[in-house]
mmCIF file of all heavy atoms in Angstrom:
data_model
loop_
_atom_site.group_PDB
_atom_site.id
_atom_site.type_symbol
_atom_site.label_atom_id
_atom_site.label_comp_id
_atom_site.label_asym_id
_atom_site.label_seq_id
_atom_site.Cartn_x
_atom_site.Cartn_y
_atom_site.Cartn_z
ATOM 1 N N GLY B 53 1.902 7.870 19.278
ATOM 2 C CA GLY B 53 2.964 8.112 18.316
ATOM 3 C C GLY B 53 2.604 7.817 16.881
ATOM 4 O O GLY B 53 3.482 7.825 16.012
ATOM 5 N N MET B 54 1.339 7.572 16.633
ATOM 6 C CA MET B 54 0.939 7.213 15.274
ATOM 7 C C MET B 54 -0.161 8.134 14.785
ATOM 8 O O MET B 54 -0.842 8.807 15.554
ATOM 9 C CB MET B 54 0.430 5.772 15.234
ATOM 10 C CG MET B 54 1.475 4.741 15.606
ATOM 11 S SD MET B 54 0.814 3.078 15.580
ATOM 12 C CE MET B 54 0.442 2.890 13.837
ATOM 13 N N GLY B 55 -0.319 8.127 13.489
ATOM 14 C CA GLY B 55 -1.447 8.827 12.910
ATOM 15 C C GLY B 55 -2.713 8.005 13.082
ATOM 16 O O GLY B 55 -2.728 6.967 13.729
ATOM 17 N N LEU B 56 -3.799 8.476 12.477
ATOM 18 C CA LEU B 56 -5.067 7.785 12.597
ATOM 19 C C LEU B 56 -5.165 6.651 11.589
ATOM 20 O O LEU B 56 -4.633 6.747 10.479
ATOM 21 C CB LEU B 56 -6.212 8.771 12.367
ATOM 22 C CG LEU B 56 -6.616 9.639 13.547
ATOM 23 C CD1 LEU B 56 -5.545 10.652 13.879
ATOM 24 C CD2 LEU B 56 -7.941 10.311 13.292
ATOM 25 N N ARG B 57 -5.865 5.606 11.981
ATOM 26 C CA ARG B 57 -6.121 4.504 11.062
ATOM 27 C C ARG B 57 -7.623 4.304 10.958
ATOM 28 O O ARG B 57 -8.326 4.273 11.960
ATOM 29 C CB ARG B 57 -5.436 3.225 11.533
ATOM 30 C CG ARG B 57 -3.910 3.287 11.449
ATOM 31 C CD ARG B 57 -3.286 1.957 11.839
ATOM 32 N NE ARG B 57 -3.454 1.681 13.249
ATOM 33 C CZ ARG B 57 -3.172 0.511 13.822
ATOM 34 N NH1 ARG B 57 -2.727 -0.489 13.086
ATOM 35 N NH2 ARG B 57 -3.332 0.350 15.115
ATOM 36 N N LEU B 58 -8.104 4.144 9.736
ATOM 37 C CA LEU B 58 -9.523 4.042 9.480
ATOM 38 C C LEU B 58 -10.043 2.650 9.832
ATOM 39 O O LEU B 58 -9.536 1.646 9.328
ATOM 40 C CB LEU B 58 -9.800 4.358 8.006
ATOM 41 C CG LEU B 58 -11.260 4.375 7.556
ATOM 42 C CD1 LEU B 58 -12.023 5.498 8.259
ATOM 43 C CD2 LEU B 58 -11.336 4.559 6.039
ATOM 44 N N ILE B 59 -11.067 2.592 10.678
ATOM 45 C CA ILE B 59 -11.631 1.310 11.107
ATOM 46 C C ILE B 59 -12.785 0.905 10.174
ATOM 47 O O ILE B 59 -12.754 -0.142 9.530
ATOM 48 C CB ILE B 59 -12.145 1.399 12.558
ATOM 49 C CG1 ILE B 59 -11.027 1.862 13.500
ATOM 50 C CG2 ILE B 59 -12.679 0.042 13.010
ATOM 51 C CD1 ILE B 59 -11.527 2.180 14.909
ATOM 52 N N HIS B 60 -13.805 1.714 10.169
ATOM 53 C CA HIS B 60 -14.968 1.526 9.299
ATOM 54 C C HIS B 60 -15.459 2.892 8.865
ATOM 55 O O HIS B 60 -15.157 3.899 9.500
ATOM 56 C CB HIS B 60 -16.107 0.819 10.043
ATOM 57 C CG HIS B 60 -15.923 -0.637 10.280
ATOM 58 N ND1 HIS B 60 -16.137 -1.595 9.317
ATOM 59 C CD2 HIS B 60 -15.563 -1.298 11.414
ATOM 60 C CE1 HIS B 60 -15.921 -2.791 9.844
ATOM 61 N NE2 HIS B 60 -15.573 -2.639 11.109
ATOM 62 N N TYR B 61 -16.251 2.901 7.809
ATOM 63 C CA TYR B 61 -16.848 4.147 7.391
ATOM 64 C C TYR B 61 -18.230 3.872 6.803
ATOM 65 O O TYR B 61 -18.612 2.714 6.585
ATOM 66 C CB TYR B 61 -15.967 4.878 6.385
ATOM 67 C CG TYR B 61 -15.796 4.165 5.057
ATOM 68 C CD1 TYR B 61 -16.541 4.544 3.952
ATOM 69 C CD2 TYR B 61 -14.872 3.133 4.911
ATOM 70 C CE1 TYR B 61 -16.386 3.896 2.739
ATOM 71 C CE2 TYR B 61 -14.722 2.485 3.705
ATOM 72 C CZ TYR B 61 -15.464 2.875 2.618
ATOM 73 O OH TYR B 61 -15.311 2.228 1.421
ATOM 74 N N SER B 62 -18.947 4.941 6.563
ATOM 75 C CA SER B 62 -20.305 4.816 6.024
ATOM 76 C C SER B 62 -20.521 5.921 5.001
ATOM 77 O O SER B 62 -20.167 7.072 5.244
ATOM 78 C CB SER B 62 -21.336 4.939 7.148
ATOM 79 O OG SER B 62 -22.634 5.098 6.622
ATOM 80 N N VAL B 63 -21.111 5.549 3.880
ATOM 81 C CA VAL B 63 -21.343 6.528 2.819
ATOM 82 C C VAL B 63 -22.778 7.018 2.818
ATOM 83 O O VAL B 63 -23.165 7.792 1.943
ATOM 84 C CB VAL B 63 -20.958 5.971 1.437
ATOM 85 C CG1 VAL B 63 -19.507 5.529 1.430
ATOM 86 C CG2 VAL B 63 -21.875 4.829 1.027
ATOM 87 N N GLY B 64 -23.550 6.559 3.786
ATOM 88 C CA GLY B 64 -24.928 7.016 3.874
ATOM 89 C C GLY B 64 -25.712 6.148 4.833
ATOM 90 O O GLY B 64 -25.252 5.072 5.251
ATOM 91 N N GLU B 65 -26.899 6.614 5.164
ATOM 92 C CA GLU B 65 -27.762 5.873 6.088
ATOM 93 C C GLU B 65 -27.952 4.440 5.600
ATOM 94 O O GLU B 65 -28.244 4.208 4.429
ATOM 95 C CB GLU B 65 -29.105 6.586 6.196
ATOM 96 C CG GLU B 65 -30.082 5.956 7.139
ATOM 97 C CD GLU B 65 -31.373 6.754 7.222
ATOM 98 O OE1 GLU B 65 -31.295 7.997 7.231
ATOM 99 O OE2 GLU B 65 -32.442 6.133 7.247
ATOM 100 N N GLY B 66 -27.774 3.493 6.522
ATOM 101 C CA GLY B 66 -27.985 2.091 6.198
ATOM 102 C C GLY B 66 -26.814 1.399 5.532
ATOM 103 O O GLY B 66 -26.894 0.214 5.212
ATOM 104 N N THR B 67 -25.713 2.124 5.306
ATOM 105 C CA THR B 67 -24.540 1.518 4.654
ATOM 106 C C THR B 67 -23.338 1.580 5.562
ATOM 107 O O THR B 67 -23.173 2.530 6.334
ATOM 108 C CB THR B 67 -24.183 2.241 3.346
ATOM 109 O OG1 THR B 67 -23.599 3.506 3.657
ATOM 110 C CG2 THR B 67 -25.392 2.426 2.469
#
Side-chain angles (χ1 to χ4, degrees):
Chain B
M54 297 179 65
L56 279 69
R57 292 184 291 170
L58 183 64
I59 304 171
H60 286 281
Y61 65 100
S62 168
V63 303
E65 181 178 320
T67 73

